[in-house]
Amino acid sequence: RLEYVVTASRGTVVYLGFGTQSGSYGSKGGLATVDYIEADQLKYDTSERGTFTIVLSAMRPLDALNWLRLLPEPAEAMFIVRQTFGDRTTETPAELQICRRGYAAGPTPLSALKLEAGLRDASVLVAGASAMFAKWAYEFQAQRRL
């Protein structure tokens, strides 16, 4: 399992949270939340609470102040960032960079087959998320009628 390092500046958004998920829409077992942390729970690099680092890995490294767990299997995994603005005209979003931990080389070249598979997986994610939100909206409407 690969390891990743996220370095970020907090910004001023009202809510900021990070999570890892395992699996994929349309697959056996679906998409499950593995780990989640909110900005208020993070250990910051400075007392001003401006910057922080999060390690994503299957096992917590000893030097990781902030860590989100990745499952060893299945191979499919996601890193989720949630930001909620109170006032977009005055707040600044968090800024993030992600890289593989302990890996200096760039990514492998993108092949046509890998691009096709990625686009197919993305379309399943979009369709699954849309269906899930539509189902929630229907359920909320039904509860309102009670």
Side-chain angles (χ1 to χ4, degrees):
R1 172 59 87 179
L2 300 176
E3 296 184 1
Y4 302 90
V5 177
V6 177
T7 54
S9 61
R10 167 68 176 87
T12 60
V13 292
V14 171
Y15 177 82
L16 181 61
F18 306 94
T20 53
Q21 295 184 313
S22 184
S24 60
Y25 285 116
S27 69
K28 190 174 187 175
L31 185 62
T33 298
V34 175
D35 211 351
Y36 199 84
I37 190 168
E38 296 180 344
D40 292 343
Q41 299 168 298
L42 292 169
K43 293 183 176 90
Y44 288 83
D45 299 336
T46 63
S47 60
E48 294 85 32
R49 297 174 48 105
T51 60
F52 57 90
T53 302
I54 304 173
V55 175
L56 315 174
S57 62
M59 294 180 54
R60 184 177 190 140
L62 295 175
D63 62 342
L65 293 178
N66 300 297
W67 173 65
L68 289 173
R69 186 169 55 104
L70 296 172
L71 295 182
E73 294 293 331
E76 297 85 10
M78 285 189 211
F79 172 58
I80 304 295
V81 179
R82 292 192 172 113
Q83 296 190 72
T84 303
F85 291 83
D87 181 353
R88 283 186 180 264
T89 63
T90 61
E91 294 174 342
T92 57
E95 294 184 11
L96 293 87
Q97 293 181 344
I98 186 168
C99 63
R100 283 180 54 186
R101 183 175 161 102
Y103 188 77
T108 57
L110 180 64
S111 69
L113 289 175
K114 192 168 185 174
L115 175 61
E116 179 185 1
L119 290 172
R120 184 178 51 250
D121 291 347
S123 69
V124 172
L125 173 68
V126 169
S130 300
M132 180 177 65
F133 289 122
K135 179 179 180 269
W136 287 350
Y138 177 77
E139 290 170 353
F140 292 144
Q141 286 176 342
Q143 286 179 357
R144 231 171 94 181
R145 290 186 202 122
L146 296 178

